[in-house]
Amino acid sequence: MRIQPSRLPFFLAIARTGGVLAAADALHVTPSAVSQQLTRLEAEVGQPLVERTPRGVTLTPAGRELAELAENIEREINETELRLASGGDDPTGVVRLGGFQTFFSSVLAPALPRWREELYGVELQIHEGPRTELLRALRAADLEIAIVEYDAAETAPALGPAIREIPLLDDPWKLVAPAGTLAATELVELERLRTPWLGVVASAATSQAVHRVRTSLRQSTSVHTYAEYPTALALVAAGEGMTILPSLALQGPLPEGVEVADVPGLGARRLALRHRTGRRGPSPAVTAAISFLRDISASFQADPTTDVTA
C-alpha cells in the first residue's frame, strides 16, 4: 500500500462535507474528479473508505483513520507555511482569529486602534462564524485562534488533540423581559413569572443557559425560536416572551418595551480562547495576539481566570 498524498485533500473534503457533490463544490472541481480520486485512494488503501447512502456518504473505520491523517498533514503544512512567512522571532505575520458577534463588537473592535499601535507587525484577519465551524478551522490550522462561548455551568466543548484553552472572562447572564413583567423590587422571583420563555437554537450558548433555568422552573416556552440577540430583543419588546442574554449583548440603548434584571443564580457565559499548541508551540505573532486578547478581556472582568490546558 502506498498512499498518494495529493489525493488526501479530495478525501478530506468528502469527510467534511458528507458527499462527493458537496466536496466538488468546496474544491471548485467536477464531481467526476473527486470520485476518481476517491476510487484510486480506496484502491491504494485496499479497502472501502466510505459507505454510500441515499443522503451522502459516511466514513468507514479506515476512512475515519485516514481523515485524521489527512487533517494532521494539512495542519502541519499550514503551520509550516506560517513559520516560514514569519521569517524570525519578532511578532510579525498573519493571525487569523475566529469568533462571534458580541466579542468582536464589544471587546475587540474598540481595541483595534491599540492593536495597530502595539502589534504593528501582525496582520489580524477576523472570521465570524458558528462554533462548530470555527473549531474545525482551528483543528485544520485555517485559524490560529478561536474565541468560543458556552454556559459556564455546563461542560465545556471538547478540546481535541493539541488544543489549549485559556478562559478570557465570564459574562453574566441577565434576565430580559417585556416591560412591566418584573416586579418593582430588587429581588426577581423567576418561579412567580408567567411570561413564556423564548426558544433558542440549540447551537447557541444561550440555549444551554435557558434550558438549564427553564428545566429547574418547569415553565413553558413560547412558539418563537431565535438565533441572534437582536431578534431576541425585538421579540421581548413585542411582549412575546422573555429570555436570558449575556451582559455584552446588552451594551448600548435597548429597544423600548424591554427591561433587564440581575437574578441570583443565573450564572454566566464563559468566553474562552483556544489555540493549537503544536510541537514548537505558537509562533511569536500568535503569542503576542494571545497576550493582547487576554489583556483587553481582563478590563471586562476584575478577576480573570487561569489557564486550562489540554
Side-chain angles (χ1 to χ4, degrees), residues 120-143:
Y120 52 85
V122 180
E123 178 186 349
L124 178 64
Q125 296 179 358
I126 291 173
H127 300 270
E128 186 176 4
R131 187 174 70 192
T132 53
E133 179 183 309
L134 297 178
L135 293 181
R136 183 208 63 75
L138 183 65
R139 290 194 303 270
D142 291 331
L143 292 175

Side-chain angles (χ1 to χ4, degrees), residues 254-279:
L254 297 176
E256 290 187 13
V258 172
E259 56 186 11
V260 178
D262 291 312
V263 180
L266 286 186
R269 172 183 68 157
R270 178 151 296 167
L271 275 59
L273 180 154
R274 291 190 176 189
H275 69 95
R276 298 184 312 281
T277 55
R279 294 198 300 268

Side-chain angles (χ1 to χ4, degrees), residues 152-167:
E154 303 294 329
T155 302
L159 286 175
I163 300 293
R164 170 177 292 179
E165 176 172 302
I166 302 173

Side-chain angles (χ1 to χ4, degrees), residues 74-84 141 276 278:
E74 179 186 60
R75 181 169 56 249
E76 289 289 340
I77 291 173
N78 288 339
E79 289 179 347
T80 300
E81 288 176 345
L82 287 172
R83 286 196 299 269
L84 292 174
R276 298 184 312 281

Side-chain angles (χ1 to χ4, degrees), residues 40-56:
R40 291 170 183 169
L41 189 57
E42 288 182 322
E44 292 168 357
V45 173
Q47 55 185 303
L49 297 174
V50 301
E51 295 177 354
R52 292 162 177 81
T53 70
R55 296 185 178 181

Side-chain angles (χ1 to χ4, degrees), residues 32 41 55 74 88 107 122 133 145 148 166 242 245 300 310:
S32 176
L41 189 57
R55 296 185 178 181
E74 179 186 60
V107 180
V122 180
E133 179 183 309
I145 298 172
V148 298
I166 302 173
M242 63 183 180
L245 293 181
F300 288 85

Side-chain angles (χ1 to χ4, degrees), residues 190-211:
L190 289 178
E191 62 273 10
R192 294 181 179 272
L193 300 179
R194 293 297 174 260
T195 304
W197 289 87
L198 296 175
V200 193
V201 296
S203 60
T206 314
S207 176
Q208 296 174 312
V210 170
H211 178 75

